[in-house]
Amino acid sequence: MMLLAAWIELPLAVLPFLSLSKKNTSKKPSYLHQKVYKYILCMRRILHVLFLINLLGVAAMAQVNLTPTVSPASFNSQEEITIEYDVTGTALASLEEAYIWVWVPGSEIDAKYNVNPASSNATLTANAQFSKTEANNKVLFSITFTPEQFFAQPICLESKLGMLIKGNDWSNGQSNDFVLDMTPLTTCYVVKLITPTDEKPFVAPGGDLHVQAESSDPSTFTMFVDGQQVAQQTDREYFSYHYTVLQDEGTYPVELLVNDVENDTTITFSYLVNTPSEVLVRPQGIVAGINYDQADDTKATLCLLAPGKDAVYALGEFNNFELLPENKMKRDGDYFWMEISGLEAGKEYAFQYLVDGVYVADPFAEKILDPDDAYIPEEIYPNLKAYPVGQVTSEWYKNRMSVLQTAQPEFTWQNPGFQRPDKADLVIYEVLVRDFFAEKDRNYENLIDTLSYLKKLGVNAIELMPIQEFSGNNSWGYNPNFMFAPDKAYGTEEGLKKFIDAAHGEGIAVILDIVFNQQEVPNPFVAMWYDFKTNKATSDNPMFNVEATHPFNVFIDMNHESELTQFYMDTTLHYWSSQYKVDGYRFDLSKGFTQTKYGGDVGKWSSYDQGRIDLLKRMYDKVREYDADSYLILEHLGDNSEETVLADHGFMLWGNMHFDYKDLLLGIEKNIAWGSHDTRGWQQPNLVTYIESHDEQRLMYELLNYGKSEGSYDTRKKSTAIRRLMLANALFYTIPGAKMLWQFGEFAYEDPINLCSDGVRVGDGTDCRTDPKPTRWELLNDPDREKLRAVVSSLIKLKTDHQVFKTGDFSITNGNGFVKEIVLANKDGISQPTNKEEMSVYVVGNFDLKPQNLSMQLPFSGTWYDFFNGGEELEANSTNVPIELAAGEFKVLVNFEIDFPEIELDAVVASAEDIPNVPHSLSLYPNPGRDFLNYEINMPQEREWKVEISDMSGRVLQELSQREFQPVDISGLGMGLYLFKVYTSRESFTSRFLKI
């Protein structure tokens, strides 16, 4: 068997979830859950009122007004009580699991089991879970508990207890706040250990063990170490003792007996006398990570890279996690190693390291376990190994286990000879696996089934948003922890390899979006040098900065000048290229790869930085040592002077053209010439432009909500908006160079970027930005949207099939204005081509809201063909040809007869009543709506009709007569569900909409 970590032999020279107490917000959340739009999530808002909407196909839970039954009615904090909620007939009745959320009003006392989502730490939240019963036509949730056991601090003197019932997540539904009277005790005896805070503190021989405790009444404190009394302090409420540790290596118990006249309490803990690991040179060939013995499947050698550390223990299922001297690893410089023997071939073993009191998994492990794995469906990851029983702790960042497995089967690649598309020809499809499929279909292998769709679309590369192991199972992936392990929320390692292999078989490259600006705390290289009180890296961390050097940083900022960071990055990239045969990388937030301290100054951060350039060039050159043509794409978005240097060195760079095209679509003049590498002054076509990505609002949403109108031409009408998107794509794909499209943009996906996971609410700012979004594959049943997809596909085929887009003389309208022209003339100046290699292309489009008369500036006179109208001929007697373009109209002309798509653009019209074969029904959009509501209906020609809006009880709130389909102002309505009715002389139509 090959050494699993052989690829690491490069030179060294080089909340899982947001957990907030509802009433106690003074306590900082432990860690943020995911890339929070460059990316920090806002604190949870109290939920708005939600509604059950069949029209939208989503069930949205509401905040329900409920009064629980409490038994006994009078109680104190130390008495057991039963809480019962009758949820019959409410949205909460559909919950399979519900949890109590408690607090002490007006206090900062921490409720131990208040964790959201509850599934993020089942070890804790199991204590707060209700029992559900359904009988006699009632749905009841009940729970029995002792209030004081739910809090970290004493509450025996408190007089109020707050509570509510909630689902797994706030978006699943909750009740209103309910506050109970609680009888305070006149006296209560409380004892608390202050230090040590660790479950099992490490102490060096001869070191100091400081024990502190307090009691609510004067008491006697007696301390025992390993059964021997070492201290006693009487008649006091505070105990403090410094014990000098004299024992040899081992684990020793401590008992602190605390008593007064009527009470006695015993506090127990243990400490570990820690001595440095034995120094011993590791065997030849042992590198950081898990090393498998090629000759013996019963052996493996673990090796942890931990500079500056004194002692490391390897604890796992192979030694029952026993903290014994024989499980301490040997030390070889910055490396700690241990050979494990007696393993069963093919069996998976969970393990982790204990490093100077910190529990971490192996940073180079290919598979990581955590308690959230229990919520991954069997359909996605069959037979997933469970997290070891009894090893889950209350501190979530300790709950990570590495997996070792000898005798793993080798994957057989079916398409080893895959030839990558030329980088200038790339058409990249950006995919977030989570939102590409329904919940139980989010699987690497299911991507294989979409390859035929993407190939038909014309895509020749797929970019996966980050898939390396991240916290939780629900994330954009920009909160990575372990860079060598594919996240199990999307399936198995083999499934990922199958997908990549199948993509190569279809001629499609696979690019990984990879995160090297930041990491999250379960990453061992963060956790081994981390201050868990300040939630920052310590000053001696060899890889991460205490304070981020630049704005927009999230999680823990990496120090890219560190040799350990460079080693980590180099080995990661080499691993994915060699083991998974990925074709390239998109480096997230590459402008953050700097040690220059910019603070919050975005302008300075974006300016020329020679140190950053040098760091990026070093990384580029290292990859080129083993992969000559890997795509190395930077999300840089910096000053062009710096991007020019990087592009000319060989990097490809993201080019964000979203805002220019968006404004043009809305009816605002903008310049799109920056979408060409020529305009930027780059020597090579290393620009990857896009008009939508995961970071921007959907163009269709922008049009439907914020578009302009002039006369009867209204960009907020669905059919008009889609026609304008065809225009934008025509003036996008015909600019030479690599392109990227964000999933579903090809058929005008319109759900807003801040749509919340309930499918109804739309958050503000970055709120709900990273929530799961509906897939909306059904939109392809809309003829207009299918036509848009066909237009995009035809433009991609035109671009990738013809030489003129690679070698032709290119020019583009360079300036503001609504009319845009692109000229692609064949390099040899041939006016009458005899083959498609000599073909030229001319594109013109009108982004105005009214018709435009202009003169087309063709590169040659002669016969031209209208690409989107069946190749209709145009005889040009000169290169200056007058034409009138309607609002939103465009032309793509070629001067050689090729295979033309069967798309008649003139059949697309701007109003729904002219659309053939539209079902005889009322259509409302956007729905949910905020300010205006558009409506369309296929009905016989009417001179006038009436629109009526009423609440769900039928009370009419708004009424107006109309002669044409005009947007209806709904800004004055309160948030809620309404009826929209249209009355004509012959019939009436009714539909529902949600005002948000």
Side-chain angles (χ1 to χ4, degrees):
M1 182 90 179
M2 292 177 57
L3 281 176
L4 175 65
W7 35 265
I8 296 183
E9 294 181 4
L10 295 170
L12 186 55
V14 288
L15 275 188
F17 297 87
L18 185 59
S19 298
L20 294 177
S21 169
K22 184 174 185 293
K23 294 299 178 182
N24 173 18
T25 56
S26 66
K27 190 172 183 180
K28 293 182 180 178
S30 42
Y31 305 97
L32 299 177
H33 168 53
Q34 50 190 355
K35 183 184 181 184
V36 190
Y37 193 59
K38 304 293 184 169
Y39 282 96
I40 298 180
L41 282 174
C42 300
M43 291 178 64
R44 173 181 57 80
R45 299 181 297 154
I46 298 178
L47 295 178
H48 292 303
V49 180
L50 307 175
F51 298 87
L52 187 64
I53 306 172
N54 294 330
L55 172 67
L56 299 177
V58 293
M61 294 296 184
Q63 187 179 43
V64 181
N65 290 320
L66 292 173
T67 299
T69 300
V70 183
S71 179
S74 178
F75 63 93
N76 62 52
S77 65
Q78 297 178 357
E79 292 179 329
E80 191 173 77
I81 60 173
T82 297
I83 307 295
E84 183 177 81
Y85 278 92
D86 185 346
V87 299
T88 308
T90 73
L92 299 178
S94 63
L95 294 176
E96 293 300 321
E97 296 178 349
Y99 300 83
I100 194 168
W101 190 276
V102 295
W103 63 94
V104 175
S107 79
E108 296 183 357
I109 298 174
D110 182 34
K112 295 187 292 186
Y113 309 134
N114 284 0
V115 179
N116 186 68
S119 57
S120 66
N121 194 333
T123 302
L124 291 179
T125 57
N127 298 285
Q129 185 172 348
F130 282 94
S131 296
K132 182 179 183 180
T133 58
E134 298 180 69
N136 301 322
N137 297 319
K138 285 194 172 186
V139 181
L140 306 174
F141 280 104
S142 63
I143 184 172
T144 300
F145 67 100
T146 301
E148 191 156 279
Q149 294 176 357
F150 269 52
F151 294 89
Q153 296 89 29
I155 63 167
C156 48
L157 300 179
E158 301 292 338
S159 61
K160 299 288 184 182
L161 180 68
M163 66 181 62
L164 58 81
I165 181 174
K166 63 180 289 293
N168 173 61
D169 203 344
W170 293 111
S171 59
N172 300 130
Q174 67 170 96
S175 70
N176 57 303
D177 294 357
F178 185 78
V179 178
L180 287 168
D181 289 326
M182 184 167 58
T183 304
L185 297 174
T186 55
T187 61
C188 60
Y189 190 69
V190 178
V191 176
K192 180 182 178 182
L193 181 68
I194 302 173
T195 60
T197 56
D198 290 341
E199 297 173 356
K200 187 172 290 186
F202 274 41
V203 187
D208 174 60
L209 176 67
H210 188 196
V211 180
Q212 296 174 287
E214 62 183 5
S215 63
S216 56
D217 297 320
S219 303
T220 297
F221 294 80
T222 307
M223 178 174 162
F224 299 86
V225 174
D226 201 19
Q228 301 296 315
Q229 179 177 328
V230 296
Q232 186 175 74
Q233 298 175 8
T234 61
D235 195 24
R236 61 182 58 201
E237 296 176 1
Y238 176 75
F239 173 82
S240 178
Y241 183 72
H242 290 269
Y243 174 69
T244 300
V245 174
L246 302 176
Q247 296 95 339
D248 294 329
E249 183 175 26
T251 301
Y252 298 91
V254 176
E255 290 184 335
L256 185 62
L257 176 62
V258 187
N259 63 280
D260 66 1
V261 175
E262 297 179 349
N263 307 280
D264 62 76
T265 301
T266 302
I267 299 173
T268 62
F269 65 92
S270 60
Y271 63 90
L272 176 70
V273 179
N274 188 36
T275 58
S277 290
E278 177 188 351
V279 175
L280 185 65
V281 175
R282 57 196 153 132
Q284 186 175 5
I286 298 301
V287 296
I290 306 171
N291 300 263
Y292 294 114
D293 192 311
Q294 296 180 356
D296 189 345
D297 287 337
T298 68
K299 293 181 179 180
T301 300
L302 307 179
C303 183
L304 176 68
L305 176 57
K309 296 300 180 181
D310 292 323
V312 176
Y313 291 81
L315 307 174
E317 291 176 317
F318 43 74
N319 58 20
N320 296 317
F321 297 97
E322 292 180 331
L323 193 55
L324 300 173
E326 56 264 33
N327 294 330
K328 182 181 289 187
M329 304 175 77
K330 304 295 189 292
R331 180 180 176 183
D332 179 10
D334 291 336
Y335 294 86
F336 293 81
W337 65 277
M338 174 190 287
E339 182 181 84
I340 309 296
S341 60
L343 300 172
E344 181 181 332
K347 180 180 178 180
E348 290 186 317
Y349 293 86
F351 73 95
Q352 59 184 175
Y353 301 116
L354 179 58
V355 187
D356 291 350
V358 178
Y359 289 85
V360 297
D362 193 301
F364 297 116
E366 291 183 309
K367 184 174 181 177
I368 299 294
L369 302 180
D370 73 76
D372 292 323
D373 295 345
Y375 304 98
I376 297 176
E378 178 76 10
E379 300 92 329
I380 291 178
Y381 200 119
N383 304 313
L384 176 57
K385 179 178 174 61
Y387 196 89
V389 176
Q391 298 302 314
V392 178
T393 73
S394 60
E395 295 166 300
W396 68 270
Y397 50 85
K398 295 182 179 179
N399 295 327
R400 297 296 184 273
M401 293 274 181
S402 326
V403 175
L404 72 83
Q405 180 187 21
T406 65
Q408 296 181 44
E410 294 286 347
F411 183 81
T412 303
W413 294 90
Q414 303 299 315
N415 299 286
F418 171 65
Q419 296 296 311
R420 295 166 179 161
D422 185 81
K423 60 184 179 180
D425 293 336
L426 282 178
V427 179
I428 304 168
Y429 197 85
E430 185 185 18
V431 171
L432 173 57
V433 179
R434 184 196 69 186
D435 293 351
F436 203 57
F437 302 108
E439 184 173 359
K440 290 192 176 181
D441 296 325
R442 296 167 181 166
N443 194 305
Y444 299 121
E445 290 190 64
N446 284 337
L447 286 170
I448 297 173
D449 297 330
T450 66
L451 290 174
S452 58
Y453 169 82
L454 295 176
K455 187 174 183 179
K456 181 180 178 182
L457 184 63
V459 166
N460 56 22
I462 296 171
E463 178 186 306
L464 297 177
M465 283 176 65
I467 59 169
Q468 282 84 10
E469 181 75 21
F470 47 75
S471 294
N473 299 324
N474 176 10
S475 174
W476 271 9
Y478 296 100
N479 56 331
N481 303 324
F482 295 88
M483 299 301 288
F484 295 75
D487 199 284
K488 303 174 298 301
Y490 302 148
T492 66
E493 304 95 305
E494 182 183 28
L496 178 56
K497 290 179 180 179
K498 286 180 178 178
F499 158 67
I500 295 171
D501 197 25
H504 288 171
E506 295 291 346
I508 298 175
V510 177
I511 298 168
L512 293 188
D513 191 344
I514 199 161
V515 183
F516 281 131
N517 175 76
Q518 75 271 348
Q519 303 275 285
E520 201 181 6
V521 74
N523 180 300
F525 292 126
V526 179
M528 285 190 286
W529 300 271
Y530 196 74
D531 187 332
F532 291 94
K533 295 179 180 178
T534 63
N535 288 341
K536 293 181 179 181
T538 56
S539 58
D540 62 340
N541 191 305
M543 278 183 62
F544 292 87
N545 295 314
V546 178
E547 301 288 347
T549 62
H550 59 87
F552 296 121
N553 187 75
V554 291
F555 307 116
I556 314 302
D557 183 42
M558 297 184 77
N559 175 359
H560 290 82
E561 291 182 356
S562 159
E563 290 187 351
L564 182 55
T565 298
Q566 293 170 8
F567 170 69
Y568 184 60
M569 293 169 62
D570 293 342
T571 52
T572 299
L573 298 177
H574 188 270
Y575 168 75
W576 285 98
S577 293
S578 61
Q579 299 299 306
Y580 281 84
K581 301 191 182 302
V582 300
D583 302 292
Y585 307 93
R586 177 262 191 193
F587 297 94
D588 179 66
L589 202 61
S590 60
K591 199 161 56 185
F593 293 19
T594 179
Q595 280 302 101
T596 304
K597 291 180 171 56
Y598 290 106
D601 193 325
V602 178
K604 287 186 178 179
W605 177 48
S606 300
S607 63
Y608 190 94
D609 183 336
Q610 187 61 51
R612 178 167 54 207
I613 291 172
D614 294 342
L615 288 169
L616 288 167
K617 283 184 175 180
R618 186 214 65 80
M619 180 182 71
Y620 178 96
D621 294 343
K622 180 60 64 174
V623 174
R624 288 290 175 255
E625 291 179 5
Y626 56 84
D627 195 331
D629 57 3
S630 176
Y631 310 117
L632 302 178
I633 306 170
L634 303 179
E635 185 212 18
H636 210 63
L637 307 177
D639 187 85
N640 189 55
S641 61
E642 181 170 316
E643 291 201 345
T644 300
V645 174
L646 293 169
D648 291 346
H649 190 73
F651 276 112
M652 303 180 76
L653 293 101
W654 258 25
N656 186 351
M657 297 301 299
H658 168 81
F659 299 99
D660 297 316
Y661 281 87
K662 179 202 72 174
D663 284 353
L664 281 168
L665 287 170
L666 297 180
I668 303 168
E669 293 184 342
K670 274 296 175 69
N671 187 353
I672 59 172
W674 203 242
S676 165
H677 76 278
D678 285 340
T679 307
R680 300 182 182 219
W682 298 3
Q683 296 177 11
Q684 300 295 327
N686 285 338
L687 184 64
V688 182
T689 54
Y690 56 91
I691 54 179
E692 284 185 338
S693 80
H694 64 271
D695 279 335
E696 285 82 36
Q697 185 60 273
R698 291 288 186 171
L699 291 173
M700 188 65 172
Y701 179 85
E702 296 275 10
L703 278 164
L704 295 179
N705 287 273
Y706 306 111
K708 295 184 176 182
S709 63
E710 186 162 325
S712 62
Y713 186 83
D714 190 343
T715 66
R716 291 171 295 185
K717 289 192 175 184
K718 176 181 72 86
S719 52
T720 305
I722 289 177
R723 181 60 185 266
R724 289 183 75 82
L725 288 175
M726 294 178 188
L727 163 67
N729 280 280
L731 274 294
F732 171 69
Y733 283 103
T734 51
I735 297 176
K739 306 295 176 186
M740 189 193 77
L741 66 157
W742 170 222
Q743 64 186 33
F744 310 140
E746 69 274 15
F747 53 77
Y749 187 98
E750 66 187 56
D751 284 304
I753 192 172
N754 292 321
L755 183 68
C756 299
S757 57
D758 55 32
V760 178
R761 293 178 300 124
V762 178
D764 298 323
T766 60
D767 189 28
C768 297
R769 176 68 52 91
T770 60
D771 280 13
K773 302 296 185 286
T775 56
R776 305 298 191 208
W777 283 103
E778 70 276 8
L779 292 177
L780 280 171
N781 296 324
D782 181 330
D784 283 350
R785 296 176 191 271
E786 167 55 27
K787 182 170 285 189
L788 172 61
R789 187 211 59 78
V791 166
V792 170
S793 178
S794 299
L795 288 166
I796 292 172
K797 180 175 175 57
L798 178 68
K799 164 190 165 52
T800 55
D801 279 2
H802 297 281
Q803 189 66 27
V804 68
F805 289 93
K806 306 173 184 62
T807 60
D809 291 323
F810 164 79
S811 66
I812 183 173
T813 302
N814 194 356
N816 291 329
F818 287 118
V819 176
K820 304 296 181 186
E821 290 181 284
I822 293 173
V823 177
L824 292 141
N826 65 78
K827 200 72 173 176
D828 297 323
I830 298 171
S831 60
Q832 296 181 338
T834 59
N835 58 66
K836 69 176 186 177
E837 304 303 319
E838 299 171 349
M839 184 183 79
S840 297
V841 179
Y842 172 83
V843 186
V844 62
N846 177 22
F847 285 94
D848 207 343
L849 305 179
K850 59 182 182 295
Q852 290 278 359
N853 292 300
L854 62 136
S855 292
M856 297 190 296
Q857 303 300 309
L858 300 172
F860 307 110
S861 60
T863 304
W864 288 81
Y865 303 91
D866 191 337
F867 183 71
F868 279 115
N869 284 296
E872 180 181 341
E873 293 187 16
L874 168 68
E875 291 297 333
N877 296 323
S878 74
T879 58
N880 192 327
V881 179
I883 189 175
E884 181 184 61
L885 289 179
E889 187 178 6
F890 65 94
K891 293 289 183 183
V892 178
L893 304 178
V894 299
N895 68 342
F896 186 76
E897 197 166 6
I898 57 177
D899 291 332
F900 298 107
E902 296 180 3
I903 303 173
E904 294 291 336
L905 291 185
D906 291 340
V908 178
V909 292
S911 57
E913 59 266 32
D914 297 326
I915 298 176
N917 301 321
V918 174
H920 197 61
S921 62
L922 173 63
S923 174
L924 301 176
Y925 57 90
N927 188 5
R930 189 186 296 272
D931 297 317
F932 290 91
L933 192 65
N934 297 283
Y935 69 101
E936 293 182 358
I937 196 167
N938 181 35
M939 61 184 180
Q941 183 65 40
E942 295 282 340
R943 296 184 61 188
E944 186 176 86
W945 58 88
K946 185 171 68 173
V947 172
E948 184 180 279
I949 295 177
S950 61
D951 61 22
M952 296 306 291
S953 68
R955 182 168 59 97
V956 176
L957 305 174
Q958 230 173 291
E959 189 174 2
L960 63 154
S961 296
Q962 292 199 329
R963 292 178 178 270
E964 59 183 31
F965 294 100
Q966 296 285 350
V968 177
D969 187 352
I970 60 172
S971 59
L973 298 175
M975 187 177 67
L977 191 62
Y978 296 90
L979 296 175
F980 190 101
K981 300 179 181 179
V982 177
Y983 297 95
T984 75
S985 61
R986 299 177 178 85
E987 53 194 328
S988 65
F989 306 84
T990 304
S991 189
R992 290 183 287 180
F993 71 92
L994 181 73
K995 169 63 167 60
I996 56 176

